Amino acid sequence: MARLLVTGGAGYIGSHTAVALLEAGHEVVSLDNYSNSSPRALERVSRIAGRPLTAVEGDVRDAALLKRLFAQQPFDGVIHFAALKAVGESVSKPLAYYDNNVAGTLALLQAMQSAAVTCFVFSSSATVYGAPDELPITEQAPIRSTNPYGATKVMVEQMLRDLAAADAAWSVVSLRYFNPIGAHPSGEIGEDPNDIPNNLFPFICQVAAGRRERLAVFGNDWPTADGTGVRDYLHVADLAAGHLRAFDFARRRRGFTPVNLGTGRGVSVLQLVHAFEAATGRSIPFSIVERRPGDIAACWADPSAAARLLGWRAERSIEQACADGWRWQSRNPDGYRGEAAT
Ligand code: NAD
Ligand code: UD1
């Protein structure tokens, strides 16, 4: 049993990870400013796990709050999800991204260092690989950014690498997620985009629910089997389980370790649409439109380091992710906003 600080615990991936941590017997303190989430997600997390967690409303950039939190209780480690994540918005508001994602992480690491808490799991992203030279992508591939959001992940990874090199007390695992989709099988928690979804899976869910008329498929002239973009989609519950394994690894092993979390399988836009239709019985009308600027043709992980180092493998299928994502969407058509305050 360990006591963990989970920043961004009310968010999409943080809430699923909080369930997994509680179910494994750990104590969870969530720190979230709810800028892109609802405290209701945390109520549901406790309900699913059958155990309470501590929810602190606050900002990771608030050094005084962090100091108080670390003084109040001894933490065994920190899992750091809190960040802004919309690529397009990062291009128009770069300073907000550098502030939240880079300055926020810096404030957190400084508070941890002062409190001698040196076990850290970071939410990185496959976006750090930019347009990959080779597939599947290994952790040795060059790191680069093609937009300010990606740049924040590259910068934080540099900071973490330098910190672990400077001070042998630190154990840091940087998890490079590929494309998380789906929801907890209970249908109680899931992804709850505020606006028009940028990502494929939540957009498909909203078309299925009748909130959007049709999916725009961004190009069918990519050099892929069916001409549509290929990605490595993994069930968010598998991703959550990966954090547990990463934390266990970080408790045993010092230094900086980047690890891909993906399935190792590429799935095209049209394959995902068909899998969703088969798993849910809903039809997804779509039109082929121009390519999205900045997109790449294909991207999938070499997940062998996760298997070797963490003992982790993605176990759930795309069809399961579609069925679970649809259960969340159909039961919560307005996300957490649809629930009356209790
Ligand atoms: P999310 O927006 O659902 O969760 C992020 C949470 O952090 C939200 O609850 C938000 O309110 C909170 N937050 C943001 N800034 C904060 C701050 N300054 N102080 C306190 N709380 C703050 O996003 P998510 O999809 O769960 O992503 C979690 C992490 O994983 C992020 O770091 C993201 O960049 C990374 N990531 C996500 C994906 C993806 O496809 N969802 C892919 C790769 C990496
Ligand atoms: C996005 C982010 C990336 C992040 C990743 C994982 C962008 C530009 N990039 O990339 O930084 O690491 O998610 O969360 O947002 N598609 C459509 N129609 C849509 C939406 C998407 O055809 O309405 C296609 C895309 O062209 C792509 C695939 O679906 O081929 C997946 O898109 P998306 O879900 O946005 O993920 P990424 O492009 O991998």
Side-chain angles (χ1 to χ4, degrees):
M1 210 276 290
R3 187 198 302 263
L4 282 137
L5 179 65
V6 177
T7 74
Y12 173 45
I13 304 169
S15 58
H16 288 81
T17 303
V19 169
L21 291 168
L22 290 171
E23 285 178 342
H26 297 308
E27 267 183 57
V28 173
V29 176
S30 163
L31 172 65
D32 202 304
N33 64 3
Y34 307 120
S35 58
N36 195 38
S37 59
S38 162
R40 287 175 194 144
L42 293 172
E43 292 167 15
R44 295 188 182 190
V45 164
S46 288
R47 202 151 74 208
I48 295 168
R51 289 186 53 218
L53 55 69
T54 305
V56 178
E57 179 168 1
D59 198 297
V60 287
R61 292 164 295 179
D62 184 343
L65 169 65
L66 292 174
K67 194 173 172 191
R68 270 201 314 282
L69 266 181
F70 283 103
Q72 275 163 9
Q73 43 206 329
F75 286 106
D76 299 297
V78 175
I79 304 185
H80 181 38
F81 295 100
L84 302 180
K85 63 165 183 177
V87 172
E89 185 187 56
S90 80
V91 175
S92 56
K93 297 180 183 165
L95 296 184
Y97 276 69
Y98 291 114
D99 189 26
N100 256 277
N101 298 8
V102 181
T105 307
L106 180 59
L108 180 60
L109 293 170
Q110 285 169 331
M112 288 177 67
Q113 190 164 52
S114 300
V117 178
T118 51
C119 182
F120 192 70
V121 177
F122 176 61
S123 295
S124 189
S125 167
T127 195
V128 300
Y129 297 117
D133 301 324
E134 281 173 33
L135 292 169
I137 306 175
T138 71
E139 290 80 359
Q140 285 69 49
I143 297 304
R144 53 198 163 206
S145 57
T146 51
N147 55 67
Y149 166 71
T152 69
K153 296 295 181 191
V154 171
M155 286 179 185
V156 169
E157 283 209 4
Q158 187 61 50
M159 210 151 75
L160 295 171
R161 199 176 283 111
D162 292 343
L163 178 60
D167 182 348
W170 281 85
S171 21
V172 176
V173 181
S174 187
L175 296 176
R176 295 175 179 162
Y177 312 155
F178 281 69
N179 293 63
I181 60 168
H184 191 272
S186 63
E188 288 273 305
I189 56 171
E191 190 169 11
D192 183 19
N194 271 329
D195 218 337
I196 302 174
N198 296 309
N199 297 119
L200 178 60
F201 190 80
F203 203 101
I204 290 176
C205 286
Q206 292 196 2
V207 172
R211 271 177 76 179
R212 320 243 164 237
E213 203 181 318
R214 57 182 48 240
L215 171 72
V217 175
F218 298 144
N220 66 351
D221 55 353
W222 292 100
T224 61
D226 65 18
T228 65
V230 167
R231 298 291 185 274
D232 185 339
Y233 298 98
L234 78 159
H235 195 301
V236 67
D238 280 332
L239 183 58
H243 289 77
L244 241 78
R245 299 299 184 96
F247 174 62
D248 288 343
F249 175 84
R251 288 170 104 187
R252 298 192 310 269
R253 182 91 71 92
R254 305 284 165 90
F256 173 80
T257 312
V259 181
N260 288 341
L261 291 185
T263 65
R265 261 179 302 111
V267 169
S268 75
V269 174
L270 292 183
Q271 283 172 330
L272 187 64
V273 166
H274 297 321
F276 189 94
E277 291 181 326
T280 66
R282 312 292 297 186
S283 91
I284 306 297
F286 65 85
S287 312
I288 307 291
V289 304
E290 288 296 291
R291 291 181 178 188
R292 179 170 66 179
D295 259 356
I296 55 175
C299 170
W300 67 88
D302 176 340
S304 56
R308 193 174 66 251
L309 300 174
L310 311 184
W312 176 91
R313 270 191 189 79
E315 287 171 356
R316 295 158 178 89
S317 66
I318 296 291
E319 287 74 16
Q320 259 173 295
C322 291
D324 292 339
W326 174 238
R327 190 173 305 108
W328 153 255
Q329 172 72 48
S330 51
R331 290 193 188 170
N332 305 272
D334 299 313
Y336 297 107
R337 289 171 296 280
E339 186 185 308
T342 49

